[in-house]
Amino acid sequence: MRSLLLSLILANPASAETPLTAEAFDALTQGRTMTWAEFGQVYGVEAYLPGRRVRWMLVGGDCKLGHWYPDGALICFRYEDDPEPDCWTITEAGPALHARAAGTAADAAPVVVEETAEPLACPGPEVGA
């Protein structure tokens, strides 16, 4: 029976992933700058500030201020220009984090969130903010 259970877990690794709690996510991200990449292409960079505040920038775009908060097992982000939150299931994956948008199938390719040594460079009105 034990080998059957182990083979089921190994056959479906998504079932073995446990979503990060808000406290664990905060501990892994606060004070850091993280890149968000899908299919190997970085599409955004986010700086994690004290008090669950964030500064987000799509590659080639302007910076936006926002905040994150837990919603059950999800981590949700709300930005100054968008009243609708973006919610994610976030799990640890070695030195990176994996993020799946709420409602995405567990076997879909995750967004990979990794720390970057580069600071967030905000062009435009947010410079120096």
Side-chain angles (χ1 to χ4, degrees):
M1 182 66 155
R2 188 174 181 185
S3 63
L4 175 62
L5 180 59
L6 181 59
S7 66
L8 288 173
I9 291 172
L10 292 175
N12 188 4
S15 67
E17 295 177 350
T18 302
L20 289 177
T21 64
E23 293 75 18
F25 180 74
D26 198 31
L28 291 169
T29 59
Q30 190 177 136
R32 295 181 167 95
T33 300
M34 311 289 280
T35 61
W36 287 64
E38 192 168 26
F39 306 112
Q41 296 294 314
V42 171
Y43 68 86
V45 180
E46 192 154 45
Y48 293 83
L49 310 168
R52 297 184 177 177
R53 293 177 305 119
V54 293
R55 184 173 289 125
W56 167 256
M57 183 184 73
L58 282 172
V59 171
D62 292 330
C63 287
K64 300 176 185 181
L65 295 174
H67 69 279
W68 68 267
Y69 59 93
D71 184 1
L74 299 172
I75 301 293
C76 297
F77 296 84
R78 183 169 282 164
Y79 300 97
E80 61 191 351
D81 66 340
D82 188 356
E84 293 299 315
D86 294 311
C87 296
W88 303 82
T89 299
I90 300 181
T91 57
E92 283 190 88
L97 301 176
H98 281 178
R100 287 190 173 77
T104 301
D107 61 348
V111 172
V112 177
V113 184
E114 296 179 294
E115 186 171 7
T116 179
E118 300 297 319
L120 182 60
C122 293
E126 292 295 324
V127 173

